Amino acid sequence: MAEIHGEHPEQLTHTRTENERTAWQSRRARLGLFAGLVALIAALLILIPPPLSGYGFVLVLFASAAVVLQPRIKLGKLLKAISLPHWLLARRNVLASVLGLTAFALMIAATLDFYFENRLAYLDHGTLKMIVGALLLGAAVKLSTLQPALPALTTEPLSKANRFWWIPALLGVVLLGATAEINMRRFGIPFLQSVDVNVQIALFIAALGLWGWGMGGMPVPRLPRWSRRAVLPLLAILIFAFLVRAFGLNDTIRSIIDELHFTDGVQRIFWVPDLPMLTSMSGQAPFTWLYAYTEYLAIPFTGWTLAGVRAPSVVWGLLVIVLTYGLARALLDDRKTALLCALMLAGFAPFIHYSRAALLHIADPAAGMMALLFAARALRYNRRIDWALAGIGLGLTQYFYEGGRLLFFPLMIAWLFGLFILQRGKMRPFVRGIIVMFITSALVTGLYYAIILNNNEGLSERMNDSGLSPEYWDNLFNDGFDWEDFHTLSIQFTRPFASWVAHRDLSAYYGGSQALIVDYLIPFFLFGAFYLFWRMPSPIFLIPLWLVATGLGNGLLRDNMVSVRYVLVMPAMAIAIVAGIRYLIPFIWPRRAEARPEAERPPENRLRYAIPVVLVGFFAVAQVDYYYGPHLAEFNVQIRDFKPYRDGVDVALRAVEFPSNTQSIIVGRPVHDTGVPRALLGYFRHDADKVETHPPLLSFRPDQINPRYLMSLQPGLNYAFFVEADDQDTMRLLMRYLPGISAPQFSLTAAMPAHREYVLLFYPATDTPPRAPLK
């Protein structure tokens, strides 16, 4: 047909190629124009004070999204006709390097304004510099043709299921039903009324495994193929992470970081061997017993010590590090960068802290990251089993702390919805897999909510207790919504981000004087987070989305500068920091092969890769030194200053060594609340018979320790008086009326601040009551 019209097929092919080349050059020119306009707007924003500069930033973000999404709206002939000069277009990568390095310099300048000792005095200035840097970085990314390649979505259809897939799926449903009856006891099935906790957990794991395997199409199980180049460095990172976390679990923090829920919980499991494991622990602890069960497994090996309840968190922390490696590898298709992400998280100071404390918050990111990891793998390979495992992980987010329960489902939905918009028709092969994921998660999630509704428990107890009350919103909107209300609301929802980079933790969970991210990492964090945002439409925009969703979600809480609520986003922080280090390099040392997929790249110059390796390794070690040095020294004072009285935990740690016929007495003003030390003594003396034979710990004011009281002491009992170190009057009174009492003994806790210490005076048992001293 082409020959009838006088054109040969070769000529048509050449014409089509020329047209495609011309169209591509035109698009590059328009992108160059857009980058230039962004740079100009960034320069103007420097001159505009906040919050107007913030509005400008939002407008530019929307414009950037419009360019990335390539909407079908015609921008007019004028815009199409404008292009960058050819001489500038030919030097676009040089211009991109200049803009990228300028952006990083602005991130450094913003960090100096965010510096924690400034106490938010220059927060607006720092925010403005960060915004301008983000815009310049966006222009640099759009201009550059040498940016590292990111994995594309697969075009493969969903893998086929085995025709017998329904058999394991049905068995999984049956076992999940049995698990529900064990925890609900609704139908009175005799053999499900009292089931050992170990059998319950085994049943639950088997149910999840069969349900996930069946919904995943019943693939033939195969051992994964491991590469020594990946496994050995990851193993070395895990050994480093373990040693860092296991060091001094008993001694470096001889206090309680709100860990009493789990010292009580693990005892309850020992005392009630058929305790329903998927019910809520209590109204104040509205989460399942799964985390406490891991402590139950650890206690026989570690003993009834502080290390006993904290050791499982070390293992959970290692699991999150492995999942961080897997997620980064799936999203970036870069083994080396994924290893650096794992190393950064292994040495990330706040993550070290929370993976050494007996708090289930460390398990929150594990379930959520399992879901995100397998969903990211599914986007690359479209295997049914990956979608099913993502669904299992998504369902398990409901079984731990409420933060993960409320975050990861919306995050997954927002991420996939964003991909549907950004990738358009490329997401069609994944529709069935996404349905598999949500069906798989629905049954696991439904089991949890069926149990709590059956037991008349609240759906979100912690949110109800800690969230912004209806009165807050009434006060905000009742008299209209003006500029002052907007300012108040903006502060409420941006304060969480300030706690990451500009303000210390306001709680006794982590404390210290710095923000969550130490000052020398903040420029890399800001650069990396915005860089990953500008790499849309790649799925890697999950990381900035994760950061933003966590920050805004915590804006709904009253106390949103409490660090423990950000444990679930720390893996994303680590990935963003490493991205800031790794992807700054192409702006300094460009490499054309970087734009190819990892499998097609020639070996990288060793010095070029050594730079991020050395930086990440140095920062990891530096944070370990910071954590065990100045941070813990300050934290050990802060956690004791948080209470109005002196250190009762130290009293419990010392009293546990006394014989069973010892009456321990705290003497101080104000009267010490004995609830925490008594509960701790109950944990340390885990045997119920021994607990009953010990006299209960008592607390008195100094004026209650008078001669009448001392002369009424019961013979046959030892008495341990814990007295404030500066209470000389009480100590003299004890020595006068109780001959044979020991000299004051100071605490063995090396980090004990003097103003929070009780000294011990021990009076051994006698056959007769004390007598009044001779005058």
Side-chain angles (χ1 to χ4, degrees):
M1 189 69 179
E3 294 178 357
I4 295 176
H5 293 281
E7 294 178 341
H8 294 285
E10 294 82 0
Q11 292 175 325
L12 285 176
T13 303
H14 176 72
T15 303
R16 189 181 303 113
T17 304
E18 287 295 322
N19 289 339
E20 290 174 354
R21 184 181 296 112
T22 303
W24 169 237
Q25 290 176 346
S26 176
R27 171 154 178 74
R28 283 172 47 178
R30 288 198 299 274
L31 286 175
L33 171 64
F34 169 72
L37 289 174
V38 168
L40 178 61
I41 293 172
L44 292 175
L45 284 177
I46 295 178
L47 306 176
I48 302 174
L52 294 179
S53 56
Y55 297 151
F57 176 61
V58 172
L59 290 174
V60 172
L61 281 181
F62 277 114
S64 305
V67 170
V68 172
L69 295 175
Q70 303 175 1
R72 297 179 180 179
I73 302 173
K74 301 298 182 181
L75 299 180
K77 296 181 180 180
L78 178 63
L79 184 60
K80 289 184 177 181
I82 302 175
S83 63
L84 288 176
H86 289 291
W87 64 270
L88 189 58
L89 198 60
R91 295 169 176 81
R92 60 188 304 158
N93 288 315
V94 176
L95 178 59
S97 294
V98 171
L99 292 176
L101 294 175
T102 304
F104 185 68
L106 285 170
M107 300 305 179
I108 295 175
T111 301
L112 296 176
D113 287 336
F114 290 152
Y115 191 56
F116 62 94
E117 288 189 356
N118 294 333
R119 299 182 181 277
L120 305 183
Y122 303 105
L123 186 61
D124 288 348
H125 299 76
T127 303
L128 181 59
K129 292 170 185 175
M130 179 191 72
I131 289 170
V132 175
L135 294 174
L136 292 179
L137 180 58
V141 171
K142 297 305 174 185
L143 274 172
S144 176
T145 60
L146 302 178
Q147 292 305 304
L150 296 176
L153 302 181
T154 184
T155 57
E156 294 292 324
L158 182 67
S159 62
K160 294 183 178 180
N162 187 298
R163 60 175 179 163
F164 298 111
W165 67 269
W166 57 271
I167 297 177
L170 181 60
L171 288 174
V173 171
V174 171
L175 294 183
L176 286 172
T179 302
E181 175 59 21
I182 291 170
N183 290 272
M184 297 166 66
R185 297 178 179 173
R186 193 169 185 83
F187 301 105
I189 302 174
F191 63 90
L192 296 179
Q193 296 306 294
S194 179
V195 180
D196 182 79
V197 293
N198 297 298
V199 176
Q200 290 183 51
I201 296 299
L203 190 68
F204 184 54
I205 293 173
L208 294 178
L210 289 169
W211 172 241
W213 187 39
M215 291 299 293
M218 196 179 163
V220 178
R222 292 188 179 92
L223 291 175
R225 290 177 296 176
W226 297 102
S227 165
R228 286 190 303 171
R229 299 179 64 186
V231 171
L232 293 181
L234 183 59
L235 184 61
I237 291 169
L238 292 177
I239 293 172
F240 165 73
F242 174 79
L243 294 176
V244 166
R245 285 154 177 78
F247 171 75
L249 277 180
N250 263 326
D251 305 321
T252 51
I253 304 178
R254 285 173 63 87
S255 192
I256 291 295
I257 315 169
D258 200 21
E259 297 162 300
L260 215 58
H261 292 301
F262 301 101
T263 57
D264 290 347
V266 71
Q267 291 180 87
R268 182 82 183 278
I269 298 176
F270 274 95
W271 290 334
V272 186
D274 61 347
L275 184 70
M277 299 302 289
L278 301 185
T279 56
S280 294
M281 293 179 67
S282 70
Q284 288 297 313
F287 25 79
T288 67
W289 299 83
L290 293 181
Y291 175 81
Y293 178 78
T294 63
E295 295 174 321
Y296 166 81
L297 294 179
I299 290 292
F301 301 98
T302 57
W304 294 84
T305 61
L306 289 177
V309 286
R310 291 172 176 171
S313 288
V314 174
V315 179
W316 282 104
L318 298 181
L319 175 60
V320 173
I321 291 170
V322 172
L323 292 171
T324 300
Y325 167 80
L327 180 62
R329 181 73 187 270
L331 290 173
L332 298 171
D333 190 26
D334 188 334
R335 175 181 55 84
K336 297 176 180 178
T337 303
L339 288 170
L340 293 180
C341 292
L343 177 58
M344 177 58 69
L345 188 62
F348 192 43
F351 192 72
I352 293 174
H353 183 76
Y354 284 113
S355 50
R356 301 179 73 245
L359 297 169
L360 89 162
H361 300 72
I362 192 65
D364 246 9
M369 290 188 70
M370 175 184 173
L372 297 175
L373 163 61
F374 284 106
R377 286 173 55 86
L379 291 172
R380 292 188 59 185
Y381 308 113
N382 208 12
R383 290 192 290 246
R384 188 183 299 265
I385 188 63
D386 285 330
W387 287 116
L389 291 175
I392 295 293
L394 205 55
L396 285 175
T397 60
Q398 307 303 297
Y399 290 79
F400 296 99
Y401 193 69
E402 201 165 287
R405 190 188 309 168
L406 298 176
L407 172 71
F408 285 109
F409 254 101
L411 177 63
M412 179 70 79
I413 293 170
W415 181 40
L416 294 176
F417 181 75
L419 286 173
F420 270 101
I421 295 175
L422 294 169
Q423 299 280 3
R424 294 183 183 173
K426 295 181 180 179
M427 288 294 290
R428 289 176 184 169
F430 305 113
V431 172
R432 293 173 60 198
I434 292 171
I435 293 173
V436 167
M437 178 182 71
F438 282 115
I439 291 176
T440 306
S441 69
L443 190 62
V444 182
T445 302
L447 170 65
Y448 173 75
Y449 284 103
I451 292 170
I452 64 172
L453 290 174
N454 177 78
N455 298 335
N456 296 316
E457 300 165 1
L459 295 178
S460 55
E461 293 285 355
R462 300 298 294 174
M463 185 65 182
N464 295 339
D465 182 60
S466 305
L468 296 175
S469 64
E471 289 77 13
Y472 175 89
W473 299 106
D474 291 341
N475 294 334
L476 198 66
F477 292 108
N478 275 348
D479 57 347
F481 189 75
D482 55 20
W483 177 258
E484 186 176 347
D485 294 328
F486 175 78
H487 186 256
T488 301
L489 201 61
S490 65
I491 291 175
Q492 175 68 25
F493 280 89
T494 55
R495 192 183 291 123
F497 301 102
S499 71
W500 299 356
V501 297
H503 201 283
R504 70 175 184 86
D505 179 22
L506 292 181
S507 72
Y509 285 100
Y510 179 65
S513 57
Q514 291 217 31
L516 273 184
I517 303 174
V518 293
D519 45 14
Y520 49 80
L521 292 180
I522 293 173
F524 298 104
F525 169 71
L526 297 177
F527 188 90
F530 283 108
Y531 176 87
L532 296 179
F533 169 78
W534 291 115
R535 291 306 305 267
M536 288 192 298
S538 167
I540 193 61
F541 81 89
L542 166 68
I543 302 304
L545 181 64
W546 188 352
L547 294 167
V548 171
T550 305
L552 293 181
N554 276 272
L556 295 170
L557 302 176
R558 289 194 309 273
D559 301 320
N560 52 20
M561 300 187 82
V562 177
S563 62
V564 73
R565 291 171 178 155
Y566 302 112
V567 176
L568 47 69
V569 78
M570 288 178 186
M573 290 179 176
I575 293 174
I577 292 168
V578 171
I581 297 171
R582 177 73 164 146
Y583 298 127
L584 177 64
I585 302 299
F587 291 108
I588 302 172
W589 189 341
R591 179 176 180 246
R592 293 193 176 277
E594 198 84 46
R596 302 180 192 173
E598 183 185 29
E600 301 176 11
R601 296 174 200 162
E604 186 174 12
N605 184 291
R606 291 185 178 181
L607 177 60
R608 191 176 185 274
Y609 180 63
I611 294 173
V613 171
V614 170
L615 283 176
V616 172
F618 173 77
F619 289 148
V621 173
Q623 285 188 95
V624 173
D625 179 68
Y626 160 75
Y627 174 72
Y628 280 106
H631 181 82
L632 275 189
E634 190 167 10
F635 171 77
N636 278 314
V637 175
Q638 290 172 332
I639 194 170
R640 292 173 172 88
D641 284 344
F642 205 72
K643 294 292 179 68
Y645 28 75
R646 302 197 179 204
D647 192 353
V649 173
D650 183 66
V651 169
L653 288 166
R654 296 156 78 181
V656 72
E657 304 294 337
F658 299 152
S660 61
N661 64 331
T662 302
Q663 174 70 72
S664 298
I665 301 171
I666 301 175
V667 184
R669 191 183 298 274
V671 175
H672 200 294
D673 178 10
T674 58
V676 171
R678 279 185 181 181
L680 271 180
L681 280 171
Y683 166 74
F684 295 138
R685 301 163 177 165
H686 57 93
D687 188 325
D689 293 333
K690 290 183 180 179
V691 173
E692 292 174 358
T693 58
H694 279 79
L697 184 143
L698 302 176
S699 178
F700 294 119
R701 297 189 310 271
D703 60 284
Q704 292 176 292
I705 304 298
N706 51 46
R708 176 178 294 181
Y709 174 76
L710 294 177
M711 293 174 65
S712 67
L713 294 181
Q714 181 180 346
L717 287 180
N718 303 308
Y719 285 88
F721 294 91
F722 291 90
V723 183
E724 293 176 338
D726 55 357
D727 187 358
Q728 299 295 325
D729 293 339
T730 300
M731 284 189 271
R732 279 194 291 266
L733 183 68
L734 291 172
M735 291 178 182
R736 183 181 180 191
Y737 278 83
L738 303 177
I741 196 169
S742 70
Q745 303 173 35
F746 290 87
S747 171
L748 297 177
T749 301
M752 175 66 67
H755 68 288
R756 287 299 176 189
E757 183 172 10
Y758 289 109
V759 296
L760 167 65
L761 293 91
F762 190 85
Y763 180 60
T766 59
D767 296 330
T768 59
R771 296 180 179 179
L774 296 175
K775 295 184 179 178

